[in-house]
Amino acid sequence: MDSAEYERKIAHRFAAFDQDGNGYIDRADFNDAAARLLTEFGTKARCDRGQSLYSGAEAFWQGMAGIADVDGDQRVSRQEFVGGAVKRLRDSPERFAEIARPFLRAALAVAAGTDPEGTGPVSAPVDRVERALRVLGAEDDLARLAARSLDTDQDGRIAETEAVAAFSAYFTVIEPDA
């Protein structure tokens, strides 16, 4: 796939982050996503899970801004997102995975109703991850398909490692059209 095709496809991924549709990714998009997840799963913002989710959202935002906010205005335009993805993430998807990990870990814990700060791995049932994906903007059919495909070991749960790997691949590795 040529660079122009990669840029076109990665630009489409921008909308997943621009939760309010204002044409920019900013801290509010990450906080809004966290708030919607907490509401969906009946989790208080001031409990450990809620605080972990907001902390993960902030870490994700800071990582995203560090990668893509070229002009330092505390928001990432579509052009900056594409440029950041193409220049920094395409060759280093593990970097993107690491900035997303705290948020994804906390989101799985909220969906599962478990402690994200525990020592063991975090995972959530497939149906609850499907709900989370819908809350974050995925259409019903896509949320269902994505949640089921994330369960790579077919145990009925989506583990942090499965979620982080898939999330990173979705935003950094663009497959050619069939």
Side-chain angles (χ1 to χ4, degrees):
M1 169 184 328
D2 67 18
S3 183
E5 179 69 4
Y6 178 82
E7 288 181 25
R8 184 186 66 77
K9 288 186 174 192
I10 207 73
H12 180 73
R13 307 289 202 255
F14 175 84
F17 285 110
D18 183 17
Q19 294 278 303
D20 58 14
N22 69 354
Y24 294 94
I25 302 168
D26 57 21
R27 179 178 278 111
D29 290 312
F30 288 87
N31 286 334
D32 291 347
R36 284 195 313 280
L37 284 169
L38 294 175
T39 298
E40 176 68 19
F41 293 102
T43 304
K44 303 260 187 241
R46 294 197 180 264
C47 75
D48 288 344
R49 282 191 306 270
Q51 289 299 297
S52 289
L53 187 61
Y54 277 114
S55 292
E58 178 62 20
F60 199 174
W61 160 244
Q62 290 295 327
M64 173 74 69
I67 288 171
D69 185 16
V70 176
D71 61 12
D73 66 354
Q74 292 298 299
R75 60 186 192 171
V76 175
S77 69
R78 183 179 171 131
Q79 182 178 356
E80 287 174 318
F81 181 78
V82 171
V86 170
K87 291 184 179 103
R88 294 180 181 92
L89 299 178
R90 189 175 190 184
D91 295 329
S92 182
E94 61 280 350
R95 181 172 179 204
F96 188 73
E98 289 312 308
I99 68 168
R101 183 180 302 280
F103 179 76
L104 294 174
R105 179 178 178 80
L108 285 171
V110 166
T114 60
D115 180 8
E117 301 305 321
T119 57
V122 176
S123 68
V126 171
D127 64 322
R128 293 180 69 88
V129 171
E130 181 181 332
R131 278 176 55 193
L133 290 170
R134 282 196 308 268
V135 166
L136 294 174
E139 295 180 17
D140 288 345
D141 290 343
L142 183 57
R144 187 175 307 106
L145 177 65
R148 283 168 180 50
S149 68
L150 287 171
D151 183 16
T152 58
D153 61 7
Q154 301 297 301
D155 68 351
R157 299 185 69 78
I158 297 169
E160 177 182 344
T161 55
E162 293 169 317
V164 170
F167 193 81
S168 176
Y170 179 75
F171 284 100
T172 62
V173 178
I174 307 298
E175 297 297 325
D177 292 327

